Amino acid sequence: MIQIRRWQIILPVLFTLFFVFSCAQNTIIRVKKPAEINTSGIHHLAIVDFRGPENSGIIASSAFTSELWKTNFYTLVERQELESVLSEHALNMSGVVDVQTAVEAGELLGVDGIIVGEVSSYNCQDHVRHKKVKKQEWTGEYEKDKNGNYVYEKTLFGGKAKKKKYKDVWVNEEYINREASVGVVFRLVDVKTSEIRATRQTMKSFNKNYGESTTPPAKEQILNELLRNGIGDFVNMLAPHEVAIKTQFAKGDNEVNRGIEFAKNNLWDKARETWLQCVRKNSGNHQAWYNLGLGYEVDGDFEQAEMALDKAVSIKSQKIYMNGLNRVRKEKQDSLKLEKQLEGR
């Protein structure tokens, strides 16, 4: 008779549960968001060089122009034309700093709005620090068993060698702490009214430790990345933009999970059809209703997404269902705002 020990049953079950829960059924939903502020009446824009240490001002304005151009929401004056027109009137690219000068430059350029700004902070420093770490140190002796015989272990090449005896010791270890910060301020000036239509200040920071075995990235690379992140905040303020929302599927029966596999492979049409069949067979299938809501959300059909998610919440008030419903209701409002912003563009 074969004797099966308890652990032989439990371990496979635990492994299966670990595999199921560790492989979270995550998904990314990309949604178009409206500009955070109203810039009606401003269609034609110019971005002059920001002030700032080193070349940070030029980098900032170039990044701003590049990112704002990608939105296709404004008509932007090219840098060559900016330089040509401003130089003709004894203005340089970084000399436009106040509202009065900005309006003057905007009128010369024939634009509705002009963006000026400043890189207020732009530094990256290294600090050499030390910390106590526990390491194992050979005592100069070899391990023995209870009978006083040496203990042997296999070597890398299949041989045998005496097993060394180690002890824990605390040692000082040197590391580099790299800190960086970039602060940027921008203003959007309405050329027709001389009003500041938008202003924002952003500060991005970086702090990371590097040991002897790791090489930190170049300081310039870190600063440029922080600068671009700050500029990204400004672009989202002024123009419609896409955001990536991380959420989860709801696992269910075989058919529900089959729909999840379709969605994970970007076959959302097949996924939606699969989940529709599920709820037609069983109107109480809350996992199918929830996933169907995600499918409509991906498709930008927020009316249907709200209906499906509301069904899921009504059947079972799980947190991810309620989060999804609240999110889609907000996206539904945003889509109306976005539609208005795009009118006449």
Side-chain angles (χ1 to χ4, degrees):
M1 182 177 178
I2 299 174
Q3 185 178 7
I4 301 177
R5 297 183 180 181
R6 190 177 178 186
W7 63 267
Q8 290 176 298
I9 298 173
I10 293 174
L11 279 181
V13 173
L14 289 176
F15 176 79
T16 302
L17 289 173
F18 173 79
F19 181 79
V20 168
F21 287 105
S22 62
C23 299
Q25 301 294 315
N26 294 329
T27 186
I28 300 294
I29 295 174
R30 299 191 177 278
V31 178
K32 194 80 170 178
K33 291 284 186 180
E36 295 171 13
I37 66 164
N38 177 22
T39 59
S40 58
I42 296 181
H43 304 276
H44 197 183
L45 265 179
I47 303 175
V48 296
D49 284 348
F50 287 16
R51 291 186 300 168
E54 303 173 32
N55 291 322
S56 61
I58 297 174
I59 296 170
S61 58
S62 296
F64 207 156
T65 303
S66 175
E67 294 304 311
L68 201 56
W69 179 82
K70 291 176 185 177
T71 67
N72 200 31
F73 195 63
Y74 299 97
T75 301
L76 301 177
V77 180
E78 293 184 0
R79 184 178 179 85
Q80 187 175 355
E81 184 182 349
L82 272 171
E83 291 177 336
S84 175
V85 172
L86 295 180
S87 63
E88 281 181 16
H89 295 81
L91 289 171
N92 60 60
M93 288 282 283
S94 59
V96 183
V97 293
D98 56 38
V99 173
Q100 184 178 349
T101 313
V103 170
E104 181 186 346
E107 290 173 344
L108 293 172
L109 293 162
V111 296
D112 307 313
I114 189 163
I115 290 174
V116 299
E118 179 183 2
V119 179
S120 56
S121 173
Y122 191 76
N123 60 76
C124 184
Q125 294 181 331
D126 287 343
H127 309 280
V128 178
R129 305 192 190 279
H130 297 85
K131 61 181 177 180
K132 290 282 188 181
V133 294
K134 187 189 289 186
K135 291 190 175 182
Q136 286 198 317
E137 184 180 87
W138 183 36
T139 62
E141 299 177 353
Y142 297 94
E143 288 192 18
K144 293 182 180 181
D145 60 22
K146 60 182 179 180
N147 297 320
N149 299 317
Y150 285 113
V151 177
Y152 287 84
E153 61 182 356
K154 288 184 179 180
T155 63
L156 184 63
F157 300 103
K160 287 185 178 182
K162 292 178 184 177
K163 189 175 182 180
K164 292 181 177 180
K165 191 175 183 179
Y166 292 89
K167 65 178 180 180
D168 290 336
V169 294
W170 289 93
V171 298
N172 275 327
E173 187 176 85
E174 186 176 284
Y175 67 95
I176 293 175
N177 172 243
R178 176 162 290 182
E179 291 183 305
S181 64
V182 171
V184 190
V185 182
F186 101 101
R187 292 185 298 278
L188 169 62
V189 179
D190 190 319
V191 174
K192 295 174 184 175
T193 64
S194 301
E195 294 177 336
I196 297 176
R197 293 283 295 273
T199 182
R200 178 173 289 182
Q201 179 173 357
T202 182
M203 178 69 73
K204 301 295 180 181
S205 60
F206 175 92
N207 191 321
K208 193 171 181 180
N209 297 330
Y210 297 91
E212 296 177 357
S213 59
T214 54
T215 303
K219 290 183 178 181
E220 186 179 354
Q221 179 184 338
I222 294 171
L223 290 169
N224 285 348
E225 185 65 27
L226 293 177
L227 193 57
R228 286 188 174 275
N229 289 342
I231 292 299
D233 291 347
F234 299 157
V235 172
N236 292 348
M237 187 179 184
L238 297 178
H241 52 280
E242 190 178 76
V243 297
I245 300 167
K246 186 176 181 181
T247 187
Q248 288 183 314
F249 294 112
K251 294 193 70 178
D253 57 29
N254 289 338
E255 279 302 292
V256 169
N257 295 341
R258 192 164 75 94
I260 292 174
E261 288 305 311
F262 282 137
K264 285 165 63 177
N265 286 281
N266 208 31
L267 298 172
W268 283 96
D269 55 338
K270 291 186 177 295
R272 284 190 294 271
E273 184 58 37
T274 301
W275 294 322
L276 270 172
Q277 292 298 328
C278 289
V279 296
R280 285 168 183 161
K281 292 177 185 176
N282 176 13
S283 61
N285 191 332
H286 54 88
Q287 295 99 333
W289 278 118
Y290 168 76
N291 293 328
L292 182 60
L294 296 186
Y296 285 130
E297 185 180 5
V298 167
D299 203 37
D301 190 342
F302 301 121
E303 289 281 355
Q304 290 294 331
E306 183 182 11
M307 181 276 295
L309 291 167
D310 188 62
K311 284 275 191 181
V313 170
S314 298
I315 298 166
K316 191 168 184 178
S317 55
Q318 290 192 175
K319 187 175 180 179
I320 60 169
Y321 298 175
M322 292 187 286
N323 287 345
L325 181 58
N326 287 329
R327 182 181 66 244
V328 163
R329 284 176 174 170
K330 179 64 169 62
E331 290 167 356
K332 186 178 172 183
Q333 294 174 349
D334 285 344
S335 68
L336 296 175
K337 186 177 178 182
L338 176 62
E339 191 176 330
K340 288 182 179 179
Q341 288 180 355
L342 294 175
E343 286 178 2
R345 288 280 179 177

mmCIF file of all heavy atoms in Angstrom, residues 118-137:
data_model
loop_
_atom_site.group_PDB
_atom_site.id
_atom_site.type_symbol
_atom_site.label_atom_id
_atom_site.label_comp_id
_atom_site.label_asym_id
_atom_site.label_seq_id
_atom_site.Cartn_x
_atom_site.Cartn_y
_atom_site.Cartn_z
ATOM 1 N N GLU A 118 10.178 79.690 -16.868
ATOM 2 C CA GLU A 118 11.501 79.702 -16.248
ATOM 3 C C GLU A 118 11.768 78.359 -15.581
ATOM 4 O O GLU A 118 10.870 77.774 -14.965
ATOM 5 C CB GLU A 118 11.572 80.817 -15.201
ATOM 6 C CG GLU A 118 12.899 80.892 -14.471
ATOM 7 C CD GLU A 118 12.887 81.959 -13.392
ATOM 8 O OE1 GLU A 118 11.840 82.608 -13.188
ATOM 9 O OE2 GLU A 118 13.934 82.133 -12.737
ATOM 10 N N VAL A 119 12.993 77.895 -15.728
ATOM 11 C CA VAL A 119 13.448 76.715 -14.977
ATOM 12 C C VAL A 119 14.038 77.261 -13.680
ATOM 13 O O VAL A 119 15.132 77.817 -13.666
ATOM 14 C CB VAL A 119 14.489 75.908 -15.771
ATOM 15 C CG1 VAL A 119 14.950 74.701 -14.950
ATOM 16 C CG2 VAL A 119 13.900 75.443 -17.105
ATOM 17 N N SER A 120 13.295 77.120 -12.591
ATOM 18 C CA SER A 120 13.686 77.741 -11.321
ATOM 19 C C SER A 120 14.668 76.901 -10.526
ATOM 20 O O SER A 120 15.401 77.409 -9.683
ATOM 21 C CB SER A 120 12.433 78.003 -10.473
ATOM 22 O OG SER A 120 11.709 76.787 -10.274
ATOM 23 N N SER A 121 14.680 75.611 -10.776
ATOM 24 C CA SER A 121 15.602 74.708 -10.064
ATOM 25 C C SER A 121 16.098 73.657 -11.048
ATOM 26 O O SER A 121 15.306 73.091 -11.806
ATOM 27 C CB SER A 121 14.882 74.044 -8.884
ATOM 28 O OG SER A 121 15.696 73.053 -8.291
ATOM 29 N N TYR A 122 17.412 73.416 -11.012
ATOM 30 C CA TYR A 122 17.989 72.474 -11.982
ATOM 31 C C TYR A 122 19.323 71.992 -11.424
ATOM 32 O O TYR A 122 20.375 72.512 -11.741
ATOM 33 C CB TYR A 122 18.185 73.186 -13.322
ATOM 34 C CG TYR A 122 18.535 72.301 -14.495
ATOM 35 C CD1 TYR A 122 17.570 71.520 -15.114
ATOM 36 C CD2 TYR A 122 19.832 72.272 -15.001
ATOM 37 C CE1 TYR A 122 17.887 70.727 -16.220
ATOM 38 C CE2 TYR A 122 20.158 71.487 -16.102
ATOM 39 C CZ TYR A 122 19.172 70.721 -16.707
ATOM 40 O OH TYR A 122 19.488 69.943 -17.793
ATOM 41 N N ASN A 123 19.251 71.021 -10.521
ATOM 42 C CA ASN A 123 20.505 70.561 -9.908
ATOM 43 C C ASN A 123 20.475 69.068 -9.643
ATOM 44 O O ASN A 123 19.409 68.473 -9.429
ATOM 45 C CB ASN A 123 20.792 71.336 -8.615
ATOM 46 C CG ASN A 123 19.690 71.168 -7.597
ATOM 47 O OD1 ASN A 123 19.572 70.148 -6.952
ATOM 48 N ND2 ASN A 123 18.856 72.201 -7.446
ATOM 49 N N CYS A 124 21.667 68.503 -9.660
ATOM 50 C CA CYS A 124 21.851 67.072 -9.401
ATOM 51 C C CYS A 124 23.164 66.903 -8.642
ATOM 52 O O CYS A 124 24.225 67.325 -9.119
ATOM 53 C CB CYS A 124 21.882 66.294 -10.719
ATOM 54 S SG CYS A 124 21.992 64.508 -10.509
ATOM 55 N N GLN A 125 23.094 66.311 -7.455
ATOM 56 C CA GLN A 125 24.272 66.173 -6.603
ATOM 57 C C GLN A 125 24.418 64.755 -6.085
ATOM 58 O O GLN A 125 23.432 64.044 -5.881
ATOM 59 C CB GLN A 125 24.175 67.134 -5.407
ATOM 60 C CG GLN A 125 24.219 68.605 -5.780
ATOM 61 C CD GLN A 125 24.135 69.499 -4.553
ATOM 62 O OE1 GLN A 125 23.546 69.124 -3.540
ATOM 63 N NE2 GLN A 125 24.735 70.677 -4.629
ATOM 64 N N ASP A 126 25.692 64.379 -5.874
ATOM 65 C CA ASP A 126 26.012 63.082 -5.278
ATOM 66 C C ASP A 126 26.509 63.269 -3.849
ATOM 67 O O ASP A 126 27.256 64.214 -3.566
ATOM 68 C CB ASP A 126 27.097 62.360 -6.091
ATOM 69 C CG ASP A 126 26.568 61.820 -7.407
ATOM 70 O OD1 ASP A 126 25.338 61.720 -7.546
ATOM 71 O OD2 ASP A 126 27.385 61.510 -8.297
ATOM 72 N N HIS A 127 26.108 62.367 -2.973
ATOM 73 C CA HIS A 127 26.571 62.377 -1.586
ATOM 74 C C HIS A 127 27.131 60.997 -1.272
ATOM 75 O O HIS A 127 26.444 59.991 -1.484
ATOM 76 C CB HIS A 127 25.425 62.695 -0.628
ATOM 77 C CG HIS A 127 24.655 63.927 -0.996
ATOM 78 N ND1 HIS A 127 25.093 65.198 -0.707
ATOM 79 C CD2 HIS A 127 23.473 64.077 -1.657
ATOM 80 C CE1 HIS A 127 24.212 66.082 -1.154
ATOM 81 N NE2 HIS A 127 23.220 65.420 -1.739
ATOM 82 N N VAL A 128 28.364 60.966 -0.795
ATOM 83 C CA VAL A 128 28.974 59.695 -0.396
ATOM 84 C C VAL A 128 28.523 59.385 1.028
ATOM 85 O O VAL A 128 28.731 60.182 1.948
ATOM 86 C CB VAL A 128 30.514 59.758 -0.474
ATOM 87 C CG1 VAL A 128 31.121 58.437 -0.012
ATOM 88 C CG2 VAL A 128 30.950 60.077 -1.901
ATOM 89 N N ARG A 129 27.907 58.243 1.211
ATOM 90 C CA ARG A 129 27.401 57.862 2.524
ATOM 91 C C ARG A 129 27.886 56.460 2.876
ATOM 92 O O ARG A 129 28.401 55.722 2.020
ATOM 93 C CB ARG A 129 25.876 57.932 2.552
ATOM 94 C CG ARG A 129 25.317 59.288 2.136
ATOM 95 C CD ARG A 129 23.838 59.378 2.464
ATOM 96 N NE ARG A 129 23.214 60.558 1.886
ATOM 97 C CZ ARG A 129 23.272 61.771 2.396
ATOM 98 N NH1 ARG A 129 23.972 61.989 3.501
ATOM 99 N NH2 ARG A 129 22.651 62.792 1.811
ATOM 100 N N HIS A 130 27.699 56.102 4.137
ATOM 101 C CA HIS A 130 28.102 54.779 4.612
ATOM 102 C C HIS A 130 26.953 54.160 5.405
ATOM 103 O O HIS A 130 26.157 54.864 6.022
ATOM 104 C CB HIS A 130 29.352 54.864 5.508
ATOM 105 C CG HIS A 130 30.563 55.375 4.805
ATOM 106 N ND1 HIS A 130 30.822 56.730 4.669
ATOM 107 C CD2 HIS A 130 31.584 54.709 4.169
ATOM 108 C CE1 HIS A 130 31.951 56.876 3.990
ATOM 109 N NE2 HIS A 130 32.427 55.680 3.679
ATOM 110 N N LYS A 131 26.908 52.854 5.365
ATOM 111 C CA LYS A 131 25.910 52.144 6.158
ATOM 112 C C LYS A 131 26.513 50.831 6.656
ATOM 113 O O LYS A 131 27.443 50.283 6.057
ATOM 114 C CB LYS A 131 24.662 51.853 5.332
ATOM 115 C CG LYS A 131 24.889 50.977 4.119
ATOM 116 C CD LYS A 131 23.597 50.758 3.353
ATOM 117 C CE LYS A 131 23.847 49.930 2.076
ATOM 118 N NZ LYS A 131 22.601 49.719 1.328
ATOM 119 N N LYS A 132 25.990 50.352 7.773
ATOM 120 C CA LYS A 132 26.421 49.085 8.341
ATOM 121 C C LYS A 132 25.658 47.952 7.671
ATOM 122 O O LYS A 132 24.427 47.966 7.619
ATOM 123 C CB LYS A 132 26.151 49.060 9.851
ATOM 124 C CG LYS A 132 27.037 49.987 10.679
ATOM 125 C CD LYS A 132 28.425 49.388 10.871
ATOM 126 C CE LYS A 132 29.244 50.222 11.862
ATOM 127 N NZ LYS A 132 30.595 49.663 12.049
ATOM 128 N N VAL A 133 26.395 46.999 7.147
ATOM 129 C CA VAL A 133 25.749 45.837 6.529
ATOM 130 C C VAL A 133 26.326 44.558 7.114
ATOM 131 O O VAL A 133 27.497 44.501 7.504
ATOM 132 C CB VAL A 133 25.940 45.834 4.994
ATOM 133 C CG1 VAL A 133 25.218 46.994 4.352
ATOM 134 C CG2 VAL A 133 27.404 45.847 4.612
ATOM 135 N N LYS A 134 25.482 43.570 7.199
ATOM 136 C CA LYS A 134 25.917 42.277 7.740
ATOM 137 C C LYS A 134 26.462 41.418 6.613
ATOM 138 O O LYS A 134 25.806 41.229 5.586
ATOM 139 C CB LYS A 134 24.751 41.575 8.418
ATOM 140 C CG LYS A 134 25.140 40.295 9.154
ATOM 141 C CD LYS A 134 23.925 39.519 9.619
ATOM 142 C CE LYS A 134 23.225 40.224 10.756
ATOM 143 N NZ LYS A 134 22.110 39.401 11.311
ATOM 144 N N LYS A 135 27.678 40.906 6.804
ATOM 145 C CA LYS A 135 28.283 40.008 5.820
ATOM 146 C C LYS A 135 28.834 38.782 6.529
ATOM 147 O O LYS A 135 29.099 38.805 7.733
ATOM 148 C CB LYS A 135 29.404 40.728 5.060
ATOM 149 C CG LYS A 135 28.907 41.821 4.129
ATOM 150 C CD LYS A 135 30.019 42.338 3.229
ATOM 151 C CE LYS A 135 29.481 43.334 2.216
ATOM 152 N NZ LYS A 135 30.541 43.822 1.299
ATOM 153 N N GLN A 136 29.001 37.742 5.741
ATOM 154 C CA GLN A 136 29.576 36.513 6.311
ATOM 155 C C GLN A 136 31.073 36.472 6.027
ATOM 156 O O GLN A 136 31.511 36.735 4.909
ATOM 157 C CB GLN A 136 28.880 35.288 5.723
ATOM 158 C CG GLN A 136 27.478 35.072 6.278
ATOM 159 C CD GLN A 136 26.991 33.667 6.036
ATOM 160 O OE1 GLN A 136 27.177 33.114 4.956
ATOM 161 N NE2 GLN A 136 26.378 33.070 7.040
ATOM 162 N N GLU A 137 31.815 36.134 7.057
ATOM 163 C CA GLU A 137 33.273 36.104 6.954
ATOM 164 C C GLU A 137 33.769 34.719 7.383
ATOM 165 O O GLU A 137 33.310 34.156 8.377
ATOM 166 C CB GLU A 137 33.871 37.174 7.870
ATOM 167 C CG GLU A 137 35.367 37.307 7.793
ATOM 168 C CD GLU A 137 35.861 38.397 8.735
ATOM 169 O OE1 GLU A 137 36.101 38.086 9.926
ATOM 170 O OE2 GLU A 137 35.981 39.553 8.294
#
